[in-house]
Amino acid sequence: LNYQPIVNLDDEKVQGVEALLRWNHPTRGTVMPDRFIPLAEQTGLIVPIGRWVLREACTQVMRWRREHPDTSPRTIAVNLSVRQLHDPRLLEDVADALSASGLDPQCLTLEITESMLIEETDRGSRALDQLKAMKVKVAIDDFGTGYSSLSYLRRFPVDTIKIDRSFVAEMETNPTSEALVRAVVDIAKSRDVTTVAEGGENAEQKPKLAS
Ligand code: MN
């Protein structure tokens, strides 16, 4: 697992991290997830892999807290696949990861994609409701690249919207991207939803993202 920092723009501190899976292959080196996640999805291996990721990510945050109590990130975000969302053991897996690590459920964010909300199934939406009942946070990942339907923001109370990196990267050169980013930040703010800009690269982006 690699950990990507999520920085709070108010105080510029790392407030959380996102756990990102890489495969350290003996001969191919670091294999990126776009090369192996689709296969893991197809074969169903994503479920046991995802279970391991959840537990390892929660454990790592608690390890950091013990070792670096003053500077440790507070929250951890873990990506969830559609297979996991529909897996009957998901709730159990999340509860196990939290109890084994001792992490507070409010410090765990599960990231789901827009398409997972669109393909709303009974099991999927029930799982999301149950996660919310456990006080786990839910984020929409890569917002803007899928259907970006505003109706699911109404239907389902997400805690965080992660604005896709392509909009963030284009903000400086494309006024439309900048306007879209602002609009999403404003909507989120009015609903008490947190926004995360993916792939922030430089200081010039900061005033455009701060609310
Ligand atoms: Mn993500």
Side-chain angles (χ1 to χ4, degrees):
L1 283 181
N2 286 10
Y3 295 91
Q4 185 167 52
I6 298 170
V7 176
N8 183 336
L9 287 187
D10 291 335
D11 59 12
E12 302 199 349
K13 290 200 169 109
V14 174
Q15 69 120 58
V17 288
E18 177 180 0
L20 297 168
L21 192 61
R22 303 287 183 266
W23 181 4
N24 293 325
H25 190 280
T27 54
R28 296 181 189 198
T30 304
V31 184
M32 297 301 277
D34 57 325
R35 302 277 296 164
F36 65 87
I37 293 291
L39 196 61
E41 290 266 10
Q42 268 173 44
T43 57
L45 267 176
I46 195 71
V47 172
I49 292 173
R51 185 176 296 140
W52 175 84
V53 168
L54 259 173
R55 189 181 273 241
E56 176 58 25
C58 294
T59 304
Q60 180 62 63
V61 181
M62 294 309 284
R63 213 177 278 146
W64 279 324
R65 278 194 201 172
R66 276 194 307 275
E67 290 165 9
H68 315 278
D70 299 332
T71 51
S72 162
R74 215 175 55 77
T75 63
I76 178 86
V78 173
N79 295 285
L80 216 61
S81 83
V82 66
R83 288 283 280 255
Q84 279 175 287
L85 187 65
H86 293 158
D87 187 79
R89 274 186 58 185
L90 174 68
L91 274 296
E92 207 182 309
D93 290 345
V94 173
D96 284 351
L98 292 170
S99 66
S101 62
L103 184 73
D104 177 351
Q106 298 186 48
C107 294
L108 172 64
T109 298
L110 296 176
E111 298 191 0
I112 59 175
T113 61
E114 292 175 276
S115 59
M116 284 159 70
L117 283 178
I118 295 290
E119 299 159 14
E120 207 185 353
T121 58
D122 280 353
R123 196 192 284 282
S125 41
R126 206 166 51 234
L128 289 173
D129 286 340
Q130 287 167 323
L131 288 168
K132 295 288 295 184
M134 287 171 71
K135 306 264 186 277
V136 169
K137 306 276 185 199
V138 175
I140 303 182
D141 210 358
D142 305 330
F143 187 82
T145 54
Y147 304 91
S148 302
S149 161
L150 297 178
S151 70
Y152 57 60
L153 294 182
R154 185 181 56 197
R155 223 170 37 233
F156 186 77
V158 297
D159 301 285
T160 303
I161 293 174
K162 298 189 73 182
I163 304 171
D164 188 69
R165 60 176 58 241
S166 62
F167 294 99
V168 179
E170 275 182 15
M171 263 190 336
E172 285 149 288
T173 53
N174 183 338
T176 305
S177 292
E178 186 183 344
L180 287 169
V181 169
R182 291 250 32 118
V184 174
V185 171
D186 288 344
I187 292 172
K189 206 181 159 199
S190 72
R191 302 299 309 130
D192 218 12
V193 169
T194 307
T195 37
V196 174
E198 295 176 355
E201 296 283 354
N202 59 56
E204 286 72 53
Q205 290 168 330
K206 186 184 164 184
K208 298 184 174 180
L209 293 168
S211 45

mmCIF file of all heavy atoms in Angstrom, residues 51-85:
data_model
loop_
_atom_site.group_PDB
_atom_site.id
_atom_site.type_symbol
_atom_site.label_atom_id
_atom_site.label_comp_id
_atom_site.label_asym_id
_atom_site.label_seq_id
_atom_site.Cartn_x
_atom_site.Cartn_y
_atom_site.Cartn_z
ATOM 1 N N ARG A 51 -10.251 -6.837 1.443
ATOM 2 C CA ARG A 51 -10.347 -7.120 2.880
ATOM 3 C C ARG A 51 -8.987 -6.859 3.533
ATOM 4 O O ARG A 51 -8.888 -6.236 4.581
ATOM 5 C CB ARG A 51 -10.761 -8.584 3.042
ATOM 6 C CG ARG A 51 -11.034 -9.027 4.457
ATOM 7 C CD ARG A 51 -11.533 -10.471 4.455
ATOM 8 N NE ARG A 51 -12.792 -10.602 3.763
ATOM 9 C CZ ARG A 51 -13.121 -11.616 2.939
ATOM 10 N NH1 ARG A 51 -12.264 -12.595 2.696
ATOM 11 N NH2 ARG A 51 -14.290 -11.643 2.356
ATOM 12 N N TRP A 52 -7.935 -7.339 2.876
ATOM 13 C CA TRP A 52 -6.576 -7.123 3.390
ATOM 14 C C TRP A 52 -6.244 -5.629 3.407
ATOM 15 O O TRP A 52 -5.687 -5.113 4.376
ATOM 16 C CB TRP A 52 -5.553 -7.896 2.530
ATOM 17 C CG TRP A 52 -4.140 -7.601 2.939
ATOM 18 C CD1 TRP A 52 -3.449 -8.194 3.955
ATOM 19 C CD2 TRP A 52 -3.267 -6.610 2.374
ATOM 20 N NE1 TRP A 52 -2.196 -7.631 4.055
ATOM 21 C CE2 TRP A 52 -2.060 -6.666 3.102
ATOM 22 C CE3 TRP A 52 -3.398 -5.684 1.330
ATOM 23 C CZ2 TRP A 52 -0.990 -5.823 2.818
ATOM 24 C CZ3 TRP A 52 -2.332 -4.846 1.056
ATOM 25 C CH2 TRP A 52 -1.139 -4.921 1.786
ATOM 26 N N VAL A 53 -6.611 -4.929 2.323
ATOM 27 C CA VAL A 53 -6.312 -3.492 2.220
ATOM 28 C C VAL A 53 -6.962 -2.729 3.377
ATOM 29 O O VAL A 53 -6.323 -1.895 4.019
ATOM 30 C CB VAL A 53 -6.786 -2.922 0.860
ATOM 31 C CG1 VAL A 53 -6.744 -1.392 0.853
ATOM 32 C CG2 VAL A 53 -5.943 -3.477 -0.293
ATOM 33 N N LEU A 54 -8.232 -3.030 3.631
ATOM 34 C CA LEU A 54 -8.959 -2.351 4.707
ATOM 35 C C LEU A 54 -8.247 -2.503 6.047
ATOM 36 O O LEU A 54 -8.018 -1.545 6.773
ATOM 37 C CB LEU A 54 -10.336 -2.997 4.849
ATOM 38 C CG LEU A 54 -11.527 -2.305 4.243
ATOM 39 C CD1 LEU A 54 -12.746 -3.206 4.355
ATOM 40 C CD2 LEU A 54 -11.802 -0.965 4.912
ATOM 41 N N ARG A 55 -7.900 -3.745 6.339
ATOM 42 C CA ARG A 55 -7.298 -4.028 7.632
ATOM 43 C C ARG A 55 -5.906 -3.400 7.747
ATOM 44 O O ARG A 55 -5.558 -2.783 8.747
ATOM 45 C CB ARG A 55 -7.220 -5.533 7.857
ATOM 46 C CG ARG A 55 -6.791 -5.869 9.276
ATOM 47 C CD ARG A 55 -6.693 -7.346 9.460
ATOM 48 N NE ARG A 55 -7.976 -7.900 9.841
ATOM 49 C CZ ARG A 55 -8.166 -8.540 11.010
ATOM 50 N NH1 ARG A 55 -7.185 -8.689 11.859
ATOM 51 N NH2 ARG A 55 -9.337 -9.040 11.314
ATOM 52 N N GLU A 56 -5.121 -3.541 6.676
ATOM 53 C CA GLU A 56 -3.750 -3.021 6.676
ATOM 54 C C GLU A 56 -3.758 -1.486 6.779
ATOM 55 O O GLU A 56 -2.973 -0.895 7.505
ATOM 56 C CB GLU A 56 -3.022 -3.493 5.406
ATOM 57 C CG GLU A 56 -1.616 -2.969 5.217
ATOM 58 C CD GLU A 56 -0.662 -3.303 6.365
ATOM 59 O OE1 GLU A 56 -0.894 -4.305 7.080
ATOM 60 O OE2 GLU A 56 0.307 -2.544 6.549
ATOM 61 N N ALA A 57 -4.665 -0.842 6.039
ATOM 62 C CA ALA A 57 -4.719 0.628 6.031
ATOM 63 C C ALA A 57 -5.106 1.155 7.421
ATOM 64 O O ALA A 57 -4.486 2.092 7.931
ATOM 65 C CB ALA A 57 -5.716 1.101 4.973
ATOM 66 N N CYS A 58 -6.121 0.552 8.029
ATOM 67 C CA CYS A 58 -6.551 0.993 9.362
ATOM 68 C C CYS A 58 -5.435 0.767 10.376
ATOM 69 O O CYS A 58 -5.168 1.622 11.232
ATOM 70 C CB CYS A 58 -7.808 0.238 9.809
ATOM 71 S SG CYS A 58 -9.266 0.612 8.822
ATOM 72 N N THR A 59 -4.759 -0.369 10.271
ATOM 73 C CA THR A 59 -3.668 -0.699 11.194
ATOM 74 C C THR A 59 -2.516 0.286 11.050
ATOM 75 O O THR A 59 -1.909 0.712 12.030
ATOM 76 C CB THR A 59 -3.183 -2.141 10.941
ATOM 77 O OG1 THR A 59 -4.305 -3.012 11.058
ATOM 78 C CG2 THR A 59 -2.108 -2.564 11.926
ATOM 79 N N GLN A 60 -2.220 0.663 9.786
ATOM 80 C CA GLN A 60 -1.106 1.578 9.534
ATOM 81 C C GLN A 60 -1.343 2.954 10.170
ATOM 82 O O GLN A 60 -0.428 3.534 10.744
ATOM 83 C CB GLN A 60 -0.872 1.724 8.024
ATOM 84 C CG GLN A 60 0.273 2.648 7.660
ATOM 85 C CD GLN A 60 1.617 2.165 8.194
ATOM 86 O OE1 GLN A 60 2.099 1.116 7.829
ATOM 87 N NE2 GLN A 60 2.213 2.941 9.090
ATOM 88 N N VAL A 61 -2.566 3.465 10.080
ATOM 89 C CA VAL A 61 -2.838 4.775 10.693
ATOM 90 C C VAL A 61 -2.612 4.710 12.197
ATOM 91 O O VAL A 61 -2.022 5.626 12.787
ATOM 92 C CB VAL A 61 -4.297 5.235 10.451
ATOM 93 C CG1 VAL A 61 -4.544 6.597 11.076
ATOM 94 C CG2 VAL A 61 -4.573 5.322 8.982
ATOM 95 N N MET A 62 -3.055 3.622 12.809
ATOM 96 C CA MET A 62 -2.882 3.502 14.256
ATOM 97 C C MET A 62 -1.401 3.353 14.620
ATOM 98 O O MET A 62 -0.949 3.861 15.644
ATOM 99 C CB MET A 62 -3.701 2.319 14.792
ATOM 100 C CG MET A 62 -5.198 2.501 14.659
ATOM 101 S SD MET A 62 -5.815 4.076 15.333
ATOM 102 C CE MET A 62 -5.768 3.721 17.085
ATOM 103 N N ARG A 63 -0.640 2.686 13.757
ATOM 104 C CA ARG A 63 0.810 2.550 13.949
ATOM 105 C C ARG A 63 1.459 3.940 13.908
ATOM 106 O O ARG A 63 2.267 4.292 14.749
ATOM 107 C CB ARG A 63 1.339 1.695 12.790
ATOM 108 C CG ARG A 63 2.525 0.804 13.135
ATOM 109 C CD ARG A 63 2.894 -0.033 11.895
ATOM 110 N NE ARG A 63 2.067 -1.226 11.729
ATOM 111 C CZ ARG A 63 1.693 -1.753 10.537
ATOM 112 N NH1 ARG A 63 2.043 -1.173 9.399
ATOM 113 N NH2 ARG A 63 0.972 -2.846 10.488
ATOM 114 N N TRP A 64 1.066 4.749 12.902
ATOM 115 C CA TRP A 64 1.602 6.117 12.809
ATOM 116 C C TRP A 64 1.251 6.921 14.047
ATOM 117 O O TRP A 64 2.047 7.701 14.534
ATOM 118 C CB TRP A 64 1.063 6.821 11.572
ATOM 119 C CG TRP A 64 1.769 6.491 10.311
ATOM 120 C CD1 TRP A 64 3.101 6.250 10.135
ATOM 121 C CD2 TRP A 64 1.172 6.385 9.003
ATOM 122 N NE1 TRP A 64 3.367 5.987 8.817
ATOM 123 C CE2 TRP A 64 2.207 6.066 8.105
ATOM 124 C CE3 TRP A 64 -0.126 6.524 8.521
ATOM 125 C CZ2 TRP A 64 1.978 5.892 6.731
ATOM 126 C CZ3 TRP A 64 -0.353 6.351 7.169
ATOM 127 C CH2 TRP A 64 0.699 6.035 6.292
ATOM 128 N N ARG A 65 0.011 6.764 14.517
ATOM 129 C CA ARG A 65 -0.409 7.534 15.694
ATOM 130 C C ARG A 65 0.438 7.212 16.911
ATOM 131 O O ARG A 65 0.747 8.091 17.698
ATOM 132 C CB ARG A 65 -1.862 7.217 16.035
ATOM 133 C CG ARG A 65 -2.795 8.013 15.193
ATOM 134 C CD ARG A 65 -4.174 7.927 15.784
ATOM 135 N NE ARG A 65 -5.121 8.259 14.756
ATOM 136 C CZ ARG A 65 -6.424 8.135 14.877
ATOM 137 N NH1 ARG A 65 -6.913 7.655 16.002
ATOM 138 N NH2 ARG A 65 -7.219 8.460 13.889
ATOM 139 N N ARG A 66 0.773 5.920 17.053
ATOM 140 C CA ARG A 66 1.604 5.531 18.193
ATOM 141 C C ARG A 66 3.012 6.089 18.038
ATOM 142 O O ARG A 66 3.605 6.596 18.973
ATOM 143 C CB ARG A 66 1.678 4.000 18.315
ATOM 144 C CG ARG A 66 0.511 3.394 19.068
ATOM 145 C CD ARG A 66 0.804 1.946 19.443
ATOM 146 N NE ARG A 66 1.214 1.143 18.297
ATOM 147 C CZ ARG A 66 0.371 0.550 17.450
ATOM 148 N NH1 ARG A 66 -0.922 0.666 17.621
ATOM 149 N NH2 ARG A 66 0.821 -0.169 16.437
ATOM 150 N N GLU A 67 3.556 5.987 16.808
ATOM 151 C CA GLU A 67 4.943 6.380 16.583
ATOM 152 C C GLU A 67 5.122 7.892 16.460
ATOM 153 O O GLU A 67 6.147 8.441 16.825
ATOM 154 C CB GLU A 67 5.481 5.673 15.325
ATOM 155 C CG GLU A 67 5.652 4.169 15.563
ATOM 156 C CD GLU A 67 5.833 3.387 14.266
ATOM 157 O OE1 GLU A 67 5.992 4.024 13.198
ATOM 158 O OE2 GLU A 67 5.813 2.139 14.320
ATOM 159 N N HIS A 68 4.142 8.562 15.867
ATOM 160 C CA HIS A 68 4.239 10.017 15.651
ATOM 161 C C HIS A 68 2.933 10.688 16.076
ATOM 162 O O HIS A 68 2.180 11.167 15.227
ATOM 163 C CB HIS A 68 4.487 10.328 14.162
ATOM 164 C CG HIS A 68 5.531 9.478 13.526
ATOM 165 N ND1 HIS A 68 6.879 9.739 13.643
ATOM 166 C CD2 HIS A 68 5.432 8.345 12.773
ATOM 167 C CE1 HIS A 68 7.562 8.816 12.986
ATOM 168 N NE2 HIS A 68 6.710 7.954 12.451
ATOM 169 N N PRO A 69 2.655 10.691 17.357
ATOM 170 C CA PRO A 69 1.343 11.186 17.808
ATOM 171 C C PRO A 69 1.040 12.628 17.385
ATOM 172 O O PRO A 69 -0.124 12.970 17.185
ATOM 173 C CB PRO A 69 1.401 11.054 19.334
ATOM 174 C CG PRO A 69 2.810 10.738 19.680
ATOM 175 C CD PRO A 69 3.501 10.230 18.464
ATOM 176 N N ASP A 70 2.060 13.453 17.200
ATOM 177 C CA ASP A 70 1.788 14.858 16.864
ATOM 178 C C ASP A 70 1.559 15.102 15.382
ATOM 179 O O ASP A 70 0.870 16.040 15.006
ATOM 180 C CB ASP A 70 2.949 15.749 17.337
ATOM 181 C CG ASP A 70 3.113 15.666 18.847
ATOM 182 O OD1 ASP A 70 2.100 15.408 19.535
ATOM 183 O OD2 ASP A 70 4.252 15.840 19.318
ATOM 184 N N THR A 71 2.164 14.291 14.551
ATOM 185 C CA THR A 71 2.110 14.587 13.119
ATOM 186 C C THR A 71 1.329 13.550 12.311
ATOM 187 O O THR A 71 1.154 13.717 11.107
ATOM 188 C CB THR A 71 3.540 14.675 12.543
ATOM 189 O OG1 THR A 71 4.245 13.494 12.936
ATOM 190 C CG2 THR A 71 4.265 15.912 13.051
ATOM 191 N N SER A 72 0.874 12.498 12.947
ATOM 192 C CA SER A 72 0.207 11.427 12.212
ATOM 193 C C SER A 72 -1.067 11.916 11.528
ATOM 194 O O SER A 72 -1.809 12.723 12.094
ATOM 195 C CB SER A 72 -0.135 10.297 13.189
ATOM 196 O OG SER A 72 -1.110 9.459 12.629
ATOM 197 N N PRO A 73 -1.332 11.438 10.290
ATOM 198 C CA PRO A 73 -2.621 11.766 9.669
ATOM 199 C C PRO A 73 -3.750 11.205 10.535
ATOM 200 O O PRO A 73 -3.592 10.165 11.178
ATOM 201 C CB PRO A 73 -2.561 11.063 8.307
ATOM 202 C CG PRO A 73 -1.467 10.069 8.403
ATOM 203 C CD PRO A 73 -0.522 10.553 9.451
ATOM 204 N N ARG A 74 -4.869 11.915 10.529
ATOM 205 C CA ARG A 74 -5.977 11.518 11.388
ATOM 206 C C ARG A 74 -6.889 10.500 10.700
ATOM 207 O O ARG A 74 -7.463 9.638 11.318
ATOM 208 C CB ARG A 74 -6.792 12.779 11.725
ATOM 209 C CG ARG A 74 -7.398 12.818 13.109
ATOM 210 C CD ARG A 74 -8.069 14.173 13.329
ATOM 211 N NE ARG A 74 -9.061 14.477 12.297
ATOM 212 C CZ ARG A 74 -10.275 13.936 12.247
ATOM 213 N NH1 ARG A 74 -10.662 13.114 13.181
ATOM 214 N NH2 ARG A 74 -11.110 14.246 11.283
ATOM 215 N N THR A 75 -7.023 10.661 9.383
ATOM 216 C CA THR A 75 -8.005 9.837 8.675
ATOM 217 C C THR A 75 -7.357 9.011 7.567
ATOM 218 O O THR A 75 -6.292 9.352 7.054
ATOM 219 C CB THR A 75 -9.097 10.714 8.035
ATOM 220 O OG1 THR A 75 -8.478 11.563 7.059
ATOM 221 C CG2 THR A 75 -9.814 11.571 9.065
ATOM 222 N N ILE A 76 -8.060 7.942 7.223
ATOM 223 C CA ILE A 76 -7.581 7.078 6.148
ATOM 224 C C ILE A 76 -8.731 6.855 5.166
ATOM 225 O O ILE A 76 -9.866 6.619 5.571
ATOM 226 C CB ILE A 76 -7.056 5.734 6.711
ATOM 227 C CG1 ILE A 76 -6.592 4.784 5.616
ATOM 228 C CG2 ILE A 76 -8.061 5.012 7.592
ATOM 229 C CD1 ILE A 76 -5.199 4.966 5.178
ATOM 230 N N ALA A 77 -8.426 6.964 3.873
ATOM 231 C CA ALA A 77 -9.429 6.687 2.844
ATOM 232 C C ALA A 77 -9.032 5.407 2.111
ATOM 233 O O ALA A 77 -7.868 5.204 1.785
ATOM 234 C CB ALA A 77 -9.514 7.851 1.864
ATOM 235 N N VAL A 78 -10.019 4.558 1.905
ATOM 236 C CA VAL A 78 -9.785 3.279 1.231
ATOM 237 C C VAL A 78 -10.769 3.165 0.066
ATOM 238 O O VAL A 78 -11.958 3.453 0.228
ATOM 239 C CB VAL A 78 -9.983 2.099 2.218
ATOM 240 C CG1 VAL A 78 -9.924 0.762 1.509
ATOM 241 C CG2 VAL A 78 -8.945 2.157 3.346
ATOM 242 N N ASN A 79 -10.262 2.780 -1.094
ATOM 243 C CA ASN A 79 -11.126 2.618 -2.265
ATOM 244 C C ASN A 79 -11.881 1.299 -2.191
ATOM 245 O O ASN A 79 -11.305 0.264 -1.873
ATOM 246 C CB ASN A 79 -10.277 2.640 -3.542
ATOM 247 C CG ASN A 79 -9.628 3.985 -3.753
ATOM 248 O OD1 ASN A 79 -10.276 4.942 -4.148
ATOM 249 N ND2 ASN A 79 -8.343 4.075 -3.431
ATOM 250 N N LEU A 80 -13.160 1.369 -2.513
ATOM 251 C CA LEU A 80 -13.998 0.178 -2.478
ATOM 252 C C LEU A 80 -14.393 -0.183 -3.905
ATOM 253 O O LEU A 80 -14.741 0.692 -4.687
ATOM 254 C CB LEU A 80 -15.256 0.521 -1.668
ATOM 255 C CG LEU A 80 -15.864 -0.553 -0.795
ATOM 256 C CD1 LEU A 80 -14.869 -1.009 0.261
ATOM 257 C CD2 LEU A 80 -17.116 -0.007 -0.123
ATOM 258 N N SER A 81 -14.347 -1.469 -4.226
ATOM 259 C CA SER A 81 -14.774 -1.870 -5.564
ATOM 260 C C SER A 81 -16.241 -2.279 -5.515
ATOM 261 O O SER A 81 -16.803 -2.528 -4.444
ATOM 262 C CB SER A 81 -13.939 -3.046 -6.061
ATOM 263 O OG SER A 81 -14.468 -4.243 -5.537
ATOM 264 N N VAL A 82 -16.839 -2.359 -6.688
ATOM 265 C CA VAL A 82 -18.268 -2.694 -6.760
ATOM 266 C C VAL A 82 -18.512 -4.100 -6.214
ATOM 267 O O VAL A 82 -19.510 -4.353 -5.549
ATOM 268 C CB VAL A 82 -18.791 -2.488 -8.214
ATOM 269 C CG1 VAL A 82 -18.158 -3.462 -9.185
ATOM 270 C CG2 VAL A 82 -20.313 -2.571 -8.259
ATOM 271 N N ARG A 83 -17.559 -4.999 -6.466
ATOM 272 C CA ARG A 83 -17.710 -6.370 -5.948
ATOM 273 C C ARG A 83 -17.745 -6.370 -4.420
ATOM 274 O O ARG A 83 -18.491 -7.122 -3.809
ATOM 275 C CB ARG A 83 -16.550 -7.271 -6.408
ATOM 276 C CG ARG A 83 -16.547 -7.650 -7.864
ATOM 277 C CD ARG A 83 -17.560 -8.737 -8.195
ATOM 278 N NE ARG A 83 -17.133 -10.068 -7.862
ATOM 279 C CZ ARG A 83 -16.717 -10.982 -8.739
ATOM 280 N NH1 ARG A 83 -16.627 -10.687 -10.023
ATOM 281 N NH2 ARG A 83 -16.391 -12.182 -8.346
ATOM 282 N N GLN A 84 -16.900 -5.537 -3.833
ATOM 283 C CA GLN A 84 -16.875 -5.469 -2.363
ATOM 284 C C GLN A 84 -18.184 -4.905 -1.823
ATOM 285 O O GLN A 84 -18.700 -5.377 -0.819
ATOM 286 C CB GLN A 84 -15.732 -4.572 -1.884
ATOM 287 C CG GLN A 84 -14.392 -5.225 -1.858
ATOM 288 C CD GLN A 84 -13.342 -4.185 -1.492
ATOM 289 O OE1 GLN A 84 -13.007 -3.318 -2.292
ATOM 290 N NE2 GLN A 84 -12.850 -4.265 -0.273
ATOM 291 N N LEU A 85 -18.686 -3.859 -2.522
ATOM 292 C CA LEU A 85 -19.923 -3.226 -2.063
ATOM 293 C C LEU A 85 -21.074 -4.235 -2.042
ATOM 294 O O LEU A 85 -21.963 -4.160 -1.215
ATOM 295 C CB LEU A 85 -20.267 -2.026 -2.952
ATOM 296 C CG LEU A 85 -21.433 -1.166 -2.493
ATOM 297 C CD1 LEU A 85 -21.123 -0.470 -1.170
ATOM 298 C CD2 LEU A 85 -21.801 -0.123 -3.546
#
